[in-house]
Amino acid sequence: MPNRVISPDASDTTRDRILKAAILRFSAHSYDDTGLRDIAADVGVDMAYVHRSFGSKEKLFYEAVKASGRPEQLFAEDDGCLPSTLANQILSRKGANEIGALDIVVQSFASPAASRVLNEFLEEDFVAPLVRKLSTVSRRRAALVAAFLAGVGILKDAIKAEPLLEGERSALEEDVKQVIATLLEVEVRDCDSPREHVPHETRR
Amino acid sequence: MPNRVISPDASDTTRDRILKAAILRFSAHSYDDTGLRDIAADVGVDMAYVHRSFGSKEKLFYEAVKASGRPEQLFAEDDGCLPSTLANQILSRKGANEIGALDIVVQSFASPAASRVLNEFLEEDFVAPLVRKLSTVSRRRAALVAAFLAGVGILKDAIKAEPLLEGERSALEEDVKQVIATLLEVEVRDCDSPREHVPHETRR
DNA sequence: AACCTTAGTCATCAATCGTTGACTGATGTA
DNA sequence: TACATCAGTCAACGATTGATGACTAAGGTT
């Protein structure tokens, strides 16, 4: 299970291919700007079949969010340093078909149709697992981490804000990690140089 | 053309009433979910007149964003403590017709049509004025402040995330201020109790 | 053979959107 | 009076959207 991007198992049914295409579409464009016809065209089936396979556009979106943002993926590569893990979820450079687990959430915040789904996602797939993993953090601060990650993703990928695109990525990553560390009340220095194995210097 | 007697800011013309209604609409719903017909109905004119008064929906949105987010408004009540000023821009409780200067940005980042406008807004009406006001902060960090504010606004107002709605507002405000202070590298304590006049204790 | 389910297509629906050309009516202005 | 401009309305357009009912074709079961 090394380079698993989306699908947990390589089911080949048309329904799964539709879901996979939907995740890509919803991760690259907003809920409103993603048409069932686009998704159908990607898979090569009729749009009516996309609709019938999932019942409605909103239900398809629901399944796409759930499949794309599962906690196992969000915290998958956690090497013990949550700030760096979370920062990478938003900042990791995306190739053509490679998407981050949070991209689909970053898009589609706006549409009311999507907001109920996202509310559930936020609670079940982010706040709860994060608090479970780091019991000292409050639900409020966990949500603020999500807010910050979402905001950074939006400004960087949707709005394409220049101050976040120009310059070194490492500098941006450092700032993002520092904010997350502030919210989680953990020391960012403990994992500053990821592979240097600082022998857990006892601080404070 | 000599007698352009129309006062530059009578604010009584139908055009201005349309613009005002547009700001309210765009601040409460996304760009896509806001129809020219809705705005026209608010003012009580024909939808065609809304369109003709501004040339296109996108141009109307542009003027709405510019009028709603002007730096004078963003930093209007600045009492010398930027973190608290900015936090209040997002957290201030909104009445029926009362909106924050950033609400219109919080909605409507999704649509590509709107994102160009928002990119310009971010640069001209937020990053640049902020850096001008606090010259020690980098453009990147200024943009990260905007990202955080946008994310908080989205989760709180659009998604209605419970962790940001439950509990005391002051606790949330404290966390938000701390994050902003971290990014701006200023001491939040300097304005913690706004009216206490701490005599500028020389720190560091 | 007859029958049922699954997979998928086709044409079309109703609704909504922003946009536009043509029009009316009032208000000046020469 | 004649003319021009501004404020605003009216009806319709073309495009796009998600949703449906009716249909075909294949596969399996009895």
Side-chain angles (χ1 to χ4, degrees), chain A residues 162-164 166, chain B residues 123 127-128 131 137-145:
Chain A
E162 289 180 24
L164 300 188
E166 69 197 9
Chain B
E123 176 60 31
V127 172
V131 171
V137 72
S138 66
R139 285 167 33 85
R140 175 175 3 101
R141 292 206 166 202
L144 286 179
V145 171

Side-chain angles (χ1 to χ4, degrees), chain A residues 128-148:
Chain A
L130 184 53
V131 170
R132 209 176 302 131
K133 208 172 175 67
L134 195 65
S135 59
T136 61
V137 72
S138 65
R139 286 167 33 84
R140 175 175 3 99
R141 290 206 168 202
L144 286 179
V145 171
F148 181 60

Side-chain angles (χ1 to χ4, degrees), chain A residues 30 32-33 105-113 115 118-119 122-123 127 138-141 143-148 150-155 158-164 166 168 171-172 174-176 178-179 182-183 185, chain B residues 29-30 32-33 105-112 115 118-119 122-123 127 138-141 143-148 150-155 158-164 166 168 171-172 174-176 178-179 182-183 185:
Chain A
S30 76
D32 287 321
D33 287 340
V105 188
V106 165
Q107 304 280 343
S108 309
F109 267 120
S111 304
S115 76
L118 296 178
N119 196 334
L122 178 71
E123 176 59 31
V127 172
S138 65
R139 286 167 33 84
R140 175 175 3 99
R141 290 206 168 202
L144 286 179
V145 171
F148 181 60
V152 171
I154 288 163
L155 257 63
I159 307 215
K160 303 199 183 308
E162 289 180 24
L164 300 188
E166 69 197 9
E168 307 269 339
L172 174 60
E174 215 52 41
D175 284 346
V176 170
Q178 184 179 344
V179 169
T182 299
L183 280 171
E185 286 178 331
Chain B
H29 309 91
S30 77
D32 287 320
D33 287 340
V105 188
V106 165
Q107 307 279 343
S108 309
F109 57 85
S111 304
S115 75
L118 295 179
N119 197 335
L122 178 71
E123 176 60 31
V127 172
S138 66
R139 285 167 33 85
R140 175 175 3 101
R141 292 206 166 202
L144 286 179
V145 171
F148 182 60
V152 172
I154 289 166
L155 257 63
I159 309 238
K160 303 198 185 307
E162 288 179 25
L164 299 187
E166 68 198 10
E168 307 268 340
L172 174 60
E174 215 52 41
D175 284 346
V176 170
Q178 184 180 344
V179 169
T182 299
L183 279 170
E185 286 178 331

Side-chain angles (χ1 to χ4, degrees), chain B residues 118-137:
Chain B
L118 295 179
N119 197 335
E120 178 181 332
F121 163 84
L122 178 71
E123 176 60 31
E124 294 183 5
D125 294 321
F126 193 94
V127 172
L130 184 53
V131 171
R132 208 177 302 130
K133 208 173 177 67
L134 195 65
S135 59
T136 60
V137 72

Side-chain angles (χ1 to χ4, degrees), chain B residues 68-118:
Chain B
S68 154
R70 294 213 305 275
E72 311 90 75
Q73 294 186 6
L74 269 179
F75 308 115
E77 313 157 357
D78 186 21
D79 56 345
C81 176
L82 245 67
S84 133
T85 300
L86 293 173
N88 279 327
Q89 284 290 347
I90 283 292
L91 297 182
S92 63
R93 196 72 204 111
K94 287 114 192 178
N97 278 358
E98 184 187 2
I99 56 168
L102 284 180
D103 288 17
I104 194 172
V105 188
V106 165
Q107 307 279 343
S108 309
F109 57 85
S111 304
S115 75
R116 285 179 307 163
V117 177
L118 295 179

Side-chain angles (χ1 to χ4, degrees), chain A residues 54-103:
Chain A
F54 291 86
S56 73
K57 182 187 183 182
E58 193 173 341
K59 288 178 183 169
L60 170 60
F61 179 75
Y62 178 84
E63 292 209 30
V65 170
K66 296 301 270 185
S68 153
R70 296 215 301 279
E72 312 91 75
Q73 293 186 8
L74 269 179
F75 307 115
E77 314 158 357
D78 186 19
D79 56 345
C81 176
L82 244 66
S84 130
T85 299
L86 293 174
N88 278 328
Q89 284 289 349
I90 283 293
L91 297 181
S92 64
R93 196 72 202 109
K94 288 116 192 174
N97 278 358
E98 185 187 3
I99 57 170
L102 284 180
D103 288 17

